Amino acid sequence: MRRMSDEEEMQVNENSENVEAKQTNEQMEKSDTEDHKDHDGEHDNDEAEEGGSVQKDNVKEKMDKGKKTVPGILYLGHIPPRLRPSHVRTMLGAYGEIGRIFLQPEDKMVQRKKKKAGSRARNFTEGWVEFRDKRVAKRVAASLHNTPMGLRKRSRFSSDLWCIKYLHRFFWCHLSERLAYEQTVRQQRLRTEISQAKRETNFYLANVEKSQNLEKLRKKKEKRGESMTEKTWDFTQRRTEDEIRQSRLRKQAMSKKSLQKAQEKMCVIEEKAQSNVSLLAKIFNSSTEQS
């Protein structure tokens, strides 16, 4: 009986050891699975956070694309003397970001007259200013119109006023097209003037040559003793205003004379009619007396 108890104790110990080993293995497996789950959850959270940030960035980019800054152009109707594009940029640059500036210079004829007078100052007549954002351009046009250019009393342009207008649906390409059109028109005008001057000079030179040839012929004929017959122009000249007025007055005078003649004829006819009436009265009166 004692031997059996020892064997049983050995078996019980072995079974308990096996159970403990199984339990430890199960605990290790559970811990590993929990660790894997925790790591998986962290990875999922990180991926979710990254996906949310990417979506937010995409949304911001779309919003930025939807709200593109459209440039706006201002028209400057009055530009005082000694005002340059650098001055315009410094004055208006305080209100917003400025892109391109163009000031229309004076005509070349005016510049030539100034040079002859002794002044070499180059002035401008009108200008265009491009703002990066059209909303800023609208605000600037609404706030600065009819206000003094210089904020300080000692500035050059304190006595001058801004003449600004915002140009709706006007872009810089329109301005370049307009300038190109004006340049082409100017070139065409110069070409026509040059061609007309060439025609006049050629006509004058041809007439000079003709006159010289005619003089040579006349001198030759004079030496021979022959007479030179000059050609006459066979065409009717247009009447002047004085001649037209005189002809109208003559017509009116003729009409007055014709009226007078007609009145005289009517008087003669009436006299004859009265004489015939007297004769008829005598004839009929005599016939009544006899009856």
Side-chain angles (χ1 to χ4, degrees), residues 125-155:
T125 56
E126 55 185 357
W128 291 265
V129 181
E130 183 186 22
F131 277 85
R132 296 295 184 186
D133 193 355
K134 68 178 183 180
R135 293 172 291 182
V136 177
K138 288 180 182 179
R139 291 170 190 168
V140 170
S143 60
L144 293 182
H145 186 60
N146 282 333
T147 57
M149 288 185 177
L151 299 175
R152 297 178 183 177
K153 293 182 179 179
R154 294 182 180 179
S155 65

mmCIF file of all heavy atoms in Angstrom, residues 125-155:
data_model
loop_
_atom_site.group_PDB
_atom_site.id
_atom_site.type_symbol
_atom_site.label_atom_id
_atom_site.label_comp_id
_atom_site.label_asym_id
_atom_site.label_seq_id
_atom_site.Cartn_x
_atom_site.Cartn_y
_atom_site.Cartn_z
ATOM 1 N N THR A 125 0.398 110.501 -69.214
ATOM 2 C CA THR A 125 -0.996 110.944 -69.325
ATOM 3 C C THR A 125 -1.967 110.049 -68.552
ATOM 4 O O THR A 125 -2.898 110.540 -67.921
ATOM 5 C CB THR A 125 -1.409 110.985 -70.797
ATOM 6 O OG1 THR A 125 -1.198 109.684 -71.387
ATOM 7 C CG2 THR A 125 -0.587 112.013 -71.552
ATOM 8 N N GLU A 126 -1.790 108.734 -68.599
ATOM 9 C CA GLU A 126 -2.674 107.790 -67.917
ATOM 10 C C GLU A 126 -1.882 106.546 -67.556
ATOM 11 O O GLU A 126 -0.749 106.359 -68.018
ATOM 12 C CB GLU A 126 -3.875 107.429 -68.798
ATOM 13 C CG GLU A 126 -3.474 106.894 -70.160
ATOM 14 C CD GLU A 126 -4.644 106.661 -71.078
ATOM 15 O OE1 GLU A 126 -5.787 106.860 -70.612
ATOM 16 O OE2 GLU A 126 -4.422 106.279 -72.237
ATOM 17 N N GLY A 127 -2.496 105.697 -66.711
ATOM 18 C CA GLY A 127 -1.771 104.511 -66.260
ATOM 19 C C GLY A 127 -2.695 103.394 -65.828
ATOM 20 O O GLY A 127 -3.898 103.596 -65.618
ATOM 21 N N TRP A 128 -2.104 102.202 -65.699
ATOM 22 C CA TRP A 128 -2.809 100.996 -65.263
ATOM 23 C C TRP A 128 -1.952 100.291 -64.219
ATOM 24 O O TRP A 128 -0.729 100.140 -64.399
ATOM 25 C CB TRP A 128 -3.060 100.057 -66.435
ATOM 26 C CG TRP A 128 -4.049 100.573 -67.415
ATOM 27 C CD1 TRP A 128 -5.381 100.311 -67.464
ATOM 28 C CD2 TRP A 128 -3.787 101.434 -68.527
ATOM 29 N NE1 TRP A 128 -5.969 100.950 -68.508
ATOM 30 C CE2 TRP A 128 -5.010 101.658 -69.185
ATOM 31 C CE3 TRP A 128 -2.635 102.054 -69.021
ATOM 32 C CZ2 TRP A 128 -5.117 102.462 -70.296
ATOM 33 C CZ3 TRP A 128 -2.743 102.857 -70.136
ATOM 34 C CH2 TRP A 128 -3.969 103.060 -70.763
ATOM 35 N N VAL A 129 -2.593 99.839 -63.142
ATOM 36 C CA VAL A 129 -1.901 99.158 -62.044
ATOM 37 C C VAL A 129 -2.611 97.833 -61.806
ATOM 38 O O VAL A 129 -3.853 97.782 -61.718
ATOM 39 C CB VAL A 129 -1.919 100.001 -60.753
ATOM 40 C CG1 VAL A 129 -1.176 99.278 -59.637
ATOM 41 C CG2 VAL A 129 -1.296 101.362 -61.004
ATOM 42 N N GLU A 130 -1.835 96.756 -61.694
ATOM 43 C CA GLU A 130 -2.386 95.417 -61.487
ATOM 44 C C GLU A 130 -2.133 94.987 -60.051
ATOM 45 O O GLU A 130 -0.976 94.955 -59.597
ATOM 46 C CB GLU A 130 -1.733 94.424 -62.444
ATOM 47 C CG GLU A 130 -2.313 93.018 -62.337
ATOM 48 C CD GLU A 130 -1.558 92.013 -63.185
ATOM 49 O OE1 GLU A 130 -0.386 92.281 -63.502
ATOM 50 O OE2 GLU A 130 -2.126 90.959 -63.503
ATOM 51 N N PHE A 131 -3.215 94.654 -59.333
ATOM 52 C CA PHE A 131 -3.125 94.078 -57.999
ATOM 53 C C PHE A 131 -3.282 92.567 -58.113
ATOM 54 O O PHE A 131 -4.017 92.062 -58.968
ATOM 55 C CB PHE A 131 -4.209 94.654 -57.090
ATOM 56 C CG PHE A 131 -3.866 95.974 -56.487
ATOM 57 C CD1 PHE A 131 -4.102 97.151 -57.187
ATOM 58 C CD2 PHE A 131 -3.289 96.056 -55.232
ATOM 59 C CE1 PHE A 131 -3.782 98.370 -56.637
ATOM 60 C CE2 PHE A 131 -2.966 97.269 -54.674
ATOM 61 C CZ PHE A 131 -3.208 98.443 -55.375
ATOM 62 N N ARG A 132 -2.598 91.845 -57.201
ATOM 63 C CA ARG A 132 -2.681 90.380 -57.228
ATOM 64 C C ARG A 132 -4.067 89.875 -56.893
ATOM 65 O O ARG A 132 -4.498 88.824 -57.371
ATOM 66 C CB ARG A 132 -1.670 89.788 -56.240
ATOM 67 C CG ARG A 132 -0.218 90.084 -56.580
ATOM 68 C CD ARG A 132 0.206 89.438 -57.876
ATOM 69 N NE ARG A 132 1.620 89.648 -58.151
ATOM 70 C CZ ARG A 132 2.210 89.285 -59.271
ATOM 71 N NH1 ARG A 132 1.501 88.700 -60.227
ATOM 72 N NH2 ARG A 132 3.507 89.514 -59.454
ATOM 73 N N ASP A 133 -4.800 90.622 -56.074
ATOM 74 C CA ASP A 133 -6.146 90.220 -55.656
ATOM 75 C C ASP A 133 -7.111 91.330 -56.062
ATOM 76 O O ASP A 133 -6.905 92.511 -55.745
ATOM 77 C CB ASP A 133 -6.200 90.006 -54.142
ATOM 78 C CG ASP A 133 -7.478 89.299 -53.714
ATOM 79 O OD1 ASP A 133 -8.348 89.067 -54.579
ATOM 80 O OD2 ASP A 133 -7.601 88.989 -52.517
ATOM 81 N N LYS A 134 -8.177 90.950 -56.758
ATOM 82 C CA LYS A 134 -9.122 91.954 -57.230
ATOM 83 C C LYS A 134 -9.936 92.569 -56.092
ATOM 84 O O LYS A 134 -10.397 93.714 -56.206
ATOM 85 C CB LYS A 134 -10.064 91.349 -58.274
ATOM 86 C CG LYS A 134 -11.031 90.307 -57.741
ATOM 87 C CD LYS A 134 -11.947 89.825 -58.839
ATOM 88 C CE LYS A 134 -12.968 88.830 -58.326
ATOM 89 N NZ LYS A 134 -13.864 88.355 -59.398
ATOM 90 N N ARG A 135 -10.112 91.822 -54.988
ATOM 91 C CA ARG A 135 -10.833 92.386 -53.848
ATOM 92 C C ARG A 135 -10.076 93.563 -53.259
ATOM 93 O O ARG A 135 -10.664 94.593 -52.906
ATOM 94 C CB ARG A 135 -11.065 91.303 -52.794
ATOM 95 C CG ARG A 135 -12.029 90.209 -53.247
ATOM 96 C CD ARG A 135 -12.095 89.061 -52.266
ATOM 97 N NE ARG A 135 -10.849 88.314 -52.244
ATOM 98 C CZ ARG A 135 -10.646 87.234 -51.489
ATOM 99 N NH1 ARG A 135 -11.606 86.787 -50.680
ATOM 100 N NH2 ARG A 135 -9.490 86.587 -51.529
ATOM 101 N N VAL A 136 -8.766 93.414 -53.181
ATOM 102 C CA VAL A 136 -7.941 94.525 -52.692
ATOM 103 C C VAL A 136 -8.025 95.706 -53.650
ATOM 104 O O VAL A 136 -8.092 96.869 -53.232
ATOM 105 C CB VAL A 136 -6.487 94.055 -52.521
ATOM 106 C CG1 VAL A 136 -5.598 95.200 -52.091
ATOM 107 C CG2 VAL A 136 -6.408 92.924 -51.507
ATOM 108 N N ALA A 137 -8.039 95.420 -54.951
ATOM 109 C CA ALA A 137 -8.125 96.496 -55.942
ATOM 110 C C ALA A 137 -9.440 97.256 -55.812
ATOM 111 O O ALA A 137 -9.470 98.494 -55.894
ATOM 112 C CB ALA A 137 -7.976 95.912 -57.348
ATOM 113 N N LYS A 138 -10.535 96.548 -55.595
ATOM 114 C CA LYS A 138 -11.835 97.211 -55.422
ATOM 115 C C LYS A 138 -11.832 98.107 -54.190
ATOM 116 O O LYS A 138 -12.336 99.241 -54.216
ATOM 117 C CB LYS A 138 -12.934 96.163 -55.305
ATOM 118 C CG LYS A 138 -13.260 95.454 -56.607
ATOM 119 C CD LYS A 138 -14.353 94.426 -56.387
ATOM 120 C CE LYS A 138 -14.663 93.672 -57.675
ATOM 121 N NZ LYS A 138 -15.712 92.640 -57.472
ATOM 122 N N ARG A 139 -11.266 97.598 -53.086
ATOM 123 C CA ARG A 139 -11.208 98.401 -51.866
ATOM 124 C C ARG A 139 -10.366 99.652 -52.070
ATOM 125 O O ARG A 139 -10.727 100.747 -51.620
ATOM 126 C CB ARG A 139 -10.639 97.567 -50.726
ATOM 127 C CG ARG A 139 -11.556 96.450 -50.261
ATOM 128 C CD ARG A 139 -10.840 95.528 -49.299
ATOM 129 N NE ARG A 139 -11.606 94.323 -49.014
ATOM 130 C CZ ARG A 139 -11.115 93.260 -48.396
ATOM 131 N NH1 ARG A 139 -9.849 93.251 -47.992
ATOM 132 N NH2 ARG A 139 -11.878 92.201 -48.184
ATOM 133 N N VAL A 140 -9.248 99.492 -52.736
ATOM 134 C CA VAL A 140 -8.359 100.639 -52.968
ATOM 135 C C VAL A 140 -9.064 101.678 -53.829
ATOM 136 O O VAL A 140 -8.989 102.886 -53.562
ATOM 137 C CB VAL A 140 -7.048 100.157 -53.621
ATOM 138 C CG1 VAL A 140 -6.223 101.340 -54.099
ATOM 139 C CG2 VAL A 140 -6.245 99.340 -52.636
ATOM 140 N N ALA A 141 -9.761 101.245 -54.885
ATOM 141 C CA ALA A 141 -10.458 102.185 -55.760
ATOM 142 C C ALA A 141 -11.579 102.905 -55.023
ATOM 143 O O ALA A 141 -11.799 104.105 -55.230
ATOM 144 C CB ALA A 141 -11.013 101.445 -56.975
ATOM 145 N N ALA A 142 -12.286 102.191 -54.149
ATOM 146 C CA ALA A 142 -13.388 102.812 -53.418
ATOM 147 C C ALA A 142 -12.903 103.766 -52.334
ATOM 148 O O ALA A 142 -13.558 104.775 -52.052
ATOM 149 C CB ALA A 142 -14.270 101.726 -52.798
ATOM 150 N N SER A 143 -11.768 103.481 -51.725
ATOM 151 C CA SER A 143 -11.299 104.284 -50.599
ATOM 152 C C SER A 143 -10.417 105.454 -51.013
ATOM 153 O O SER A 143 -10.426 106.503 -50.360
ATOM 154 C CB SER A 143 -10.530 103.399 -49.612
ATOM 155 O OG SER A 143 -9.410 102.804 -50.248
ATOM 156 N N LEU A 144 -9.646 105.324 -52.102
ATOM 157 C CA LEU A 144 -8.683 106.360 -52.481
ATOM 158 C C LEU A 144 -9.179 107.318 -53.557
ATOM 159 O O LEU A 144 -8.494 108.296 -53.844
ATOM 160 C CB LEU A 144 -7.381 105.715 -52.971
ATOM 161 C CG LEU A 144 -6.560 104.958 -51.937
ATOM 162 C CD1 LEU A 144 -5.292 104.424 -52.571
ATOM 163 C CD2 LEU A 144 -6.197 105.846 -50.757
ATOM 164 N N HIS A 145 -10.312 107.058 -54.161
ATOM 165 C CA HIS A 145 -10.806 107.941 -55.221
ATOM 166 C C HIS A 145 -11.142 109.316 -54.650
ATOM 167 O O HIS A 145 -11.807 109.435 -53.620
ATOM 168 C CB HIS A 145 -12.028 107.322 -55.887
ATOM 169 C CG HIS A 145 -12.509 108.093 -57.069
ATOM 170 N ND1 HIS A 145 -11.728 108.325 -58.179
ATOM 171 C CD2 HIS A 145 -13.697 108.708 -57.308
ATOM 172 C CE1 HIS A 145 -12.414 109.040 -59.059
ATOM 173 N NE2 HIS A 145 -13.602 109.290 -58.548
ATOM 174 N N ASN A 146 -10.657 110.369 -55.338
ATOM 175 C CA ASN A 146 -10.874 111.767 -54.926
ATOM 176 C C ASN A 146 -10.278 112.070 -53.564
ATOM 177 O O ASN A 146 -10.827 112.862 -52.793
ATOM 178 C CB ASN A 146 -12.361 112.114 -54.931
ATOM 179 C CG ASN A 146 -12.885 112.383 -56.329
ATOM 180 O OD1 ASN A 146 -12.134 112.789 -57.208
ATOM 181 N ND2 ASN A 146 -14.160 112.132 -56.541
ATOM 182 N N THR A 147 -9.164 111.457 -53.246
ATOM 183 C CA THR A 147 -8.420 111.748 -52.017
ATOM 184 C C THR A 147 -7.023 112.224 -52.400
ATOM 185 O O THR A 147 -6.521 111.906 -53.482
ATOM 186 C CB THR A 147 -8.317 110.500 -51.124
ATOM 187 O OG1 THR A 147 -7.684 109.436 -51.868
ATOM 188 C CG2 THR A 147 -9.698 110.044 -50.664
ATOM 189 N N PRO A 148 -6.358 113.020 -51.554
ATOM 190 C CA PRO A 148 -5.015 113.511 -51.901
ATOM 191 C C PRO A 148 -4.011 112.382 -52.018
ATOM 192 O O PRO A 148 -4.027 111.415 -51.266
ATOM 193 C CB PRO A 148 -4.674 114.460 -50.755
ATOM 194 C CG PRO A 148 -5.582 114.093 -49.660
ATOM 195 C CD PRO A 148 -6.827 113.553 -50.262
ATOM 196 N N MET A 149 -3.090 112.526 -52.969
ATOM 197 C CA MET A 149 -2.073 111.504 -53.201
ATOM 198 C C MET A 149 -1.047 111.463 -52.080
ATOM 199 O O MET A 149 -0.683 110.396 -51.601
ATOM 200 C CB MET A 149 -1.372 111.763 -54.541
ATOM 201 C CG MET A 149 -2.203 111.470 -55.748
ATOM 202 S SD MET A 149 -1.237 111.661 -57.265
ATOM 203 C CE MET A 149 -2.440 111.177 -58.475
ATOM 204 N N GLY A 150 -0.580 112.613 -51.695
ATOM 205 C CA GLY A 150 0.432 112.667 -50.650
ATOM 206 C C GLY A 150 -0.192 112.816 -49.278
ATOM 207 O O GLY A 150 -1.040 113.698 -49.049
ATOM 208 N N LEU A 151 0.211 111.965 -48.344
ATOM 209 C CA LEU A 151 -0.329 112.044 -46.987
ATOM 210 C C LEU A 151 0.313 113.185 -46.195
ATOM 211 O O LEU A 151 -0.309 113.721 -45.283
ATOM 212 C CB LEU A 151 -0.107 110.711 -46.271
ATOM 213 C CG LEU A 151 -0.795 109.495 -46.917
ATOM 214 C CD1 LEU A 151 -0.400 108.230 -46.190
ATOM 215 C CD2 LEU A 151 -2.308 109.662 -46.913
ATOM 216 N N ARG A 152 1.533 113.535 -46.550
ATOM 217 C CA ARG A 152 2.226 114.622 -45.867
ATOM 218 C C ARG A 152 2.084 115.913 -46.659
ATOM 219 O O ARG A 152 1.989 115.919 -47.877
ATOM 220 C CB ARG A 152 3.710 114.276 -45.710
ATOM 221 C CG ARG A 152 3.953 113.052 -44.839
ATOM 222 C CD ARG A 152 5.437 112.747 -44.776
ATOM 223 N NE ARG A 152 5.708 111.540 -43.995
ATOM 224 C CZ ARG A 152 6.918 111.016 -43.836
ATOM 225 N NH1 ARG A 152 7.972 111.593 -44.421
ATOM 226 N NH2 ARG A 152 7.071 109.928 -43.113
ATOM 227 N N LYS A 153 2.115 117.029 -45.948
ATOM 228 C CA LYS A 153 1.956 118.322 -46.602
ATOM 229 C C LYS A 153 3.175 118.691 -47.436
ATOM 230 O O LYS A 153 3.078 119.440 -48.404
ATOM 231 C CB LYS A 153 1.690 119.400 -45.564
ATOM 232 C CG LYS A 153 0.348 119.248 -44.874
ATOM 233 C CD LYS A 153 0.118 120.371 -43.888
ATOM 234 C CE LYS A 153 -1.244 120.217 -43.206
ATOM 235 N NZ LYS A 153 -1.480 121.301 -42.214
ATOM 236 N N ARG A 154 4.346 118.203 -47.044
ATOM 237 C CA ARG A 154 5.571 118.558 -47.747
ATOM 238 C C ARG A 154 5.815 117.697 -48.990
ATOM 239 O O ARG A 154 6.767 117.953 -49.731
ATOM 240 C CB ARG A 154 6.769 118.415 -46.812
ATOM 241 C CG ARG A 154 6.761 119.400 -45.666
ATOM 242 C CD ARG A 154 8.008 119.224 -44.811
ATOM 243 N NE ARG A 154 8.012 120.168 -43.696
ATOM 244 C CZ ARG A 154 8.974 120.221 -42.776
ATOM 245 N NH1 ARG A 154 10.012 119.375 -42.846
ATOM 246 N NH2 ARG A 154 8.904 121.096 -41.800
ATOM 247 N N SER A 155 4.990 116.708 -49.225
ATOM 248 C CA SER A 155 5.202 115.835 -50.379
ATOM 249 C C SER A 155 4.860 116.562 -51.680
ATOM 250 O O SER A 155 4.117 117.554 -51.690
ATOM 251 C CB SER A 155 4.350 114.569 -50.249
ATOM 252 O OG SER A 155 2.985 114.902 -50.295
#
